[in-house]
């Protein structure tokens, strides 16, 4: 049974939620969670048990249920998604609404199974770059970790 709940890191305040926020949810400031609902990237408040903001529709985030990561400073949201033969990334600046899109990064045949290449972005501490897995354009087509900087 898929039962959505939250709990504080110290084990207190176990709370059942009637609404399921899908995708790969990411904690934001306070008691906010960024995830997907009704094909939108949304912000859910665990105290209010309600969606309090939408971060864009399908034109900004074609796959709101994809892998998301919030930058350490809370300003940028990165959304990684499968697009054709690779993974692509959309960045949303939560302060000014700017949207930046990446090119598609190849994953070759690593699309499923325990060794698949998920589009999971990971931020650096300065909040100006992500690392992500993809296939290198070398003779062996090796799996590597890449760095993408925001300017």
């Amino acid at each position: 049974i898929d039962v959505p709940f939250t709990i504080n890191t110290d084990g207190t305040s176990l709370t059942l939620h009637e609404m399921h926020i899908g995708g790969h949810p990411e904690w934001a400031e306070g008691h906010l969670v960024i995830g997907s609902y009704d094909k939108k990237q949304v912000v859910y408040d665990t105290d209010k048990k309600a969606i309090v903001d939408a971060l864009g529709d399908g034109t900004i985030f074609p796959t709101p249920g994809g892998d998301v990561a919030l930058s350490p400073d809370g300003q940028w949201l990165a959304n990684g998604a499968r697009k054709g033969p690779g993974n692509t990334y959309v960045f949303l600046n939560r302060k000014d609404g700017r949207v930046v899109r990446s090119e598609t990064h190849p994953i070759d045949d690593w699309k499923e199974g325990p060794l698949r290449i998920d589009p999971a972005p990971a931020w650096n501490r300065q909040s100006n770059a992500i690392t992500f897995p993809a296939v290198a354009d070398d003779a062996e087509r090796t799996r590597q970790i890449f760095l993408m900087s925001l300017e």
Side-chain angles (χ1 to χ4, degrees), residues 59-81:
T59 61
I60 294 176
F61 296 112
T63 311
D67 292 297
V68 295
L70 188 62
S71 62
D73 66 6
Q75 185 170 335
W76 288 96
L77 178 69
N79 173 297

Side-chain angles (χ1 to χ4, degrees), residues 27-132:
W27 283 104
E29 60 278 350
H31 293 167
L32 301 178
V33 176
I34 297 173
S36 67
Y37 186 81
D38 196 25
K39 299 182 182 179
K40 296 178 188 159
Q41 199 79 67
V42 297
V43 179
Y44 178 81
D45 187 315
T46 61
D47 292 334
K48 295 179 181 177
K49 294 186 176 183
I51 293 172
V52 294
D53 196 9
L55 299 177
D57 59 17
T59 61
I60 294 176
F61 296 112
T63 311
D67 292 297
V68 295
L70 188 62
S71 62
D73 66 6
Q75 185 170 335
W76 288 96
L77 178 69
N79 173 297
R82 182 81 30 85
K83 183 177 181 182
N87 293 331
T88 186
Y89 299 88
V90 177
F91 300 88
L92 172 69
N93 186 300
R94 294 174 66 210
K95 294 187 191 264
D96 64 18
R98 254 181 315 152
V99 175
V100 178
R101 297 179 191 283
S102 79
E103 60 188 42
T104 300
H105 300 275
I107 61 171
D108 290 0
D109 293 327
W110 301 94
K111 295 179 182 165
E112 53 189 80
L115 297 177
R116 69 184 177 276
I117 298 178
D118 280 341
W123 285 96
N124 67 347
R125 292 182 182 174
Q126 292 77 31
S127 299
N128 62 3
I130 63 164
T131 61
F132 62 95

